[in-house]
Amino acid sequence: MNVTVIGTGYVGLTTGAALAYLGHRVTCVDKDPAKLELLCRGKSPVHEQGLEELMSLAGRNLNFAHRIQEAVKDAEVILVAVGTPAKSNGEADTQYVEAAAREVAEGLKKGRLHCLAVKSTVPVGTNRRVSQVVRRVLEARGVGDKTTILVVSNPEFLREGRALHCTFYPDRIVVGAEQPEGVDMLRRLYQRILEQTFDPPPFLPRPEGYSLPPLVSTDPTSAEMIKYASNAFLALKISFINEIAGLCEKVGADVTEVARGMGLDPRIGSGFLAAGLGWGGSCFPKDTAALLAMAEEHAYTMPIVSASREVNSRQRYRIVEKLQETLKGVRGRVIGVLGLAFKPGTDDVRESPALDVVRILVERGAHVRVHDPVAMDNARRALEGLEVEFFRDPYALVSGAEALVLATEWPEYRHLDLARLAGTMCTPVLLDGRNLFDPEEARRAGWTYMGIGRWA
Ligand SMILES: NC(=O)c1ccc[n+]([C@@H]2O[C@H](COP(=O)([O-])OP(=O)(O)OC[C@H]3O[C@@H](n4cnc5c(N)ncnc54)[C@H](O)[C@@H]3O)[C@@H](O)[C@H]2O)c1
């Protein structure tokens, strides 16, 4: 199929490259000239493992363009994957989605059937609105009765750091459409994924035991809600275990043991039960805020979602308070922070818990040194104006420091030589904000070790 993908962020570029690899002719459009310049040189503007290799394997099936109007002329399917950031009241800002839809409608050839699928996470009713925007533009062009655009909702569930895996081997594909033709077009688009009739990229073998993903066909409103409800549920699962972790510390239980015992119950499941600094990133914070804003519009309260946000924000402060207790105050202390990305495997620092901890520490007068294997550039921009020292080497970072906070559980940190690190610290205090290390091992290496929910 001829496909246009609008927006080349984590979602758009991954989807575009995967569809091109699967044999579709894909044009990815972005309005950011700096991103386009990189893309045209085969470079990805975002850090996602395997993405550049996939772009290269996609070869001539994958093209890039600056202007939507030109890129959509021959498109059968147009995927909108632009950002939907939070407004100050928490509502999701759909202006980029609407602007993209308008430009699509201005560029489409008349007399054709097109499918416009909204992959961005958008509040309920956005699909209806996008349909109206498109219809109005087509009417103004005088081609309203000759051109059909099926607007469908196709929410995205990929996880940064595992984006390619999630795209080739999804748990489900959700399509919300008013007309069955919309579902049919997306079924054709994703056919090779739904039937797993592709040769996997060499670096991304099909997982053993993977079963064919279902296509969940539903109405657009339910599709939009599936996305928000899923993210809110995952967020509250993490907040729940963090709340339990707090009590574990009081009563002397180990939350990692508690989570293991809970997770074996298939009704609960073991995913998203890791206690730590809490959740962040470009999705959970804004999507839970958008859900609350949607509820408020309908004079409805969602105390569970509100509480999960509250617990999450409290978690950042609890970590700093633990440090304050142990060091008898953080003012004037040299504190190292390992990890700045909101989770391992990505350079995304949007709403990163690690950055919040850095900000709180700086606010309270600490001298903060930071390191991240891939997110340093993004973190430098996000922390601009704040007095923070950036280190390229974790061993140099700890030299003379009074405490170390592990804020993002990058696998490479697991292999650090804990004894060597402790040896150069002024006071070897380790606050393991992701329960990455074995407490006994850390203590044997000379650390005063504190984890989350496993230290009294
Ligand atoms: N990042 C994730 O893990 C993830 C997962 C699932 C869903 N989502 C949702 O998908 C959407 C995109 O997320 P993302 O993280 O990929 O965003 P992003 O911010 O990384 O990328 C969005 C891109 O869209 C481009 N853009 C904006 N308006 C445009 C226009 N009119 N024409 C062309 N390009 C335009 C921007 O320049 C940017 O490159 C959001 O709604 C998000 O909530 C994200």
Side-chain angles (χ1 to χ4, degrees), residues 84-106:
T84 45
K87 292 189 200 168
S88 56
N89 64 354
E91 223 178 282
D93 190 347
T94 56
Q95 62 164 312
Y96 306 105
V97 173
E98 290 184 28
R102 210 168 288 122
E103 281 185 64
V104 168
E106 278 159 6

Side-chain angles (χ1 to χ4, degrees), residues 79 114 208 312:
L79 301 173
H114 308 271
E208 232 170 87
N312 195 51

Side-chain angles (χ1 to χ4, degrees), residues 4-5 100 162 175 197 297 320 368 456:
T4 300
V5 181
R162 282 177 67 74
V175 179
T197 49
E297 250 183 53
V320 175
V368 183

Side-chain angles (χ1 to χ4, degrees), residues 441-456:
E441 207 180 296
R443 286 184 186 122
R444 270 199 308 274
W447 291 90
T448 301
Y449 176 89
M450 292 175 282
I452 306 291
R454 61 202 317 208
W455 169 79

